[in-house]
Amino acid sequence: MVMLRRSQWDMLMLVTLVVGLGLIVLTRVRPDQPVALAEPGAASVATVPAPREGHPAPDFTLLDLTGQPVQLADLRGQVVLINIWATWCPPCRAEMPMIQASYEQYRDQGFTVLAVNSREDAATVAGYMEASGLTFPALLDLDGTVSNAYQARVMPSSFFVDRAGVIRAVYRGPLARSVIAGTVEQLLAEAP
């Protein structure tokens, strides 16, 4: 085992810190940064700004696990958690029980979850949902269109949408139950 002297250790830590900060700056998502979206079947590419708090949630329609279309706009009047995730993602899997508990607690008050699975097939998603006892709607983003529109470069990525269809909170990474409950309770308490 190689032993580093104190000055070598300090230099290694400094280099690691500088490289890490550089990666953060290069990979961060800026709210005003446009993202290219290819519409299914279209040859043109449109640019839209990244979804951010205080702005309307980009509308989408995806199929659920039974093959039925679900459109975000149809859920106006409800508080919606859009959670972009994948079954292979450990932080996604870790937060699912908290999302389920919140869904069960608040769904009768006008809260719903749209678990937008990124680029996995229906059998994989359905198997995971069933094995985990998850009952909230899972939607299939097979080509990543919605993940791209919401600039979900980190999984999980969560977007809380108020009753008017406006994004009120954005979280990158796993959510704690207290964060979900606090955000949902605040949005449910607001007048429709």
Side-chain angles (χ1 to χ4, degrees), residues 98-107 111-113 135-137:
M98 276 75 76
I99 293 174
Q100 178 66 34
S102 295
Y103 177 67
E104 290 173 4
Q105 182 176 355
Y106 299 109
R107 72 176 163 202
F111 171 62
T112 194
V113 174
T135 61
F136 48 79

Side-chain angles (χ1 to χ4, degrees), residues 36-47:
L37 295 177
E39 296 196 19
S44 65
V45 174
T47 59

Side-chain angles (χ1 to χ4, degrees), residues 4 10 21 35 108 186:
L4 296 177
D10 289 344
L21 287 173
V35 61
D108 293 336
Q186 175 187 346

Side-chain angles (χ1 to χ4, degrees), residues 69-103:
V70 175
Q71 184 172 6
L72 177 61
D74 291 343
L75 298 173
R76 290 275 164 83
Q78 294 186 49
V79 172
V80 179
L81 166 56
I82 300 168
N83 179 260
I84 300 173
W85 69 290
T87 63
W88 51 261
C89 164
C92 302
R93 295 168 71 105
E95 76 176 355
M96 287 297 177
M98 276 75 76
I99 293 174
Q100 178 66 34
S102 295
Y103 177 67

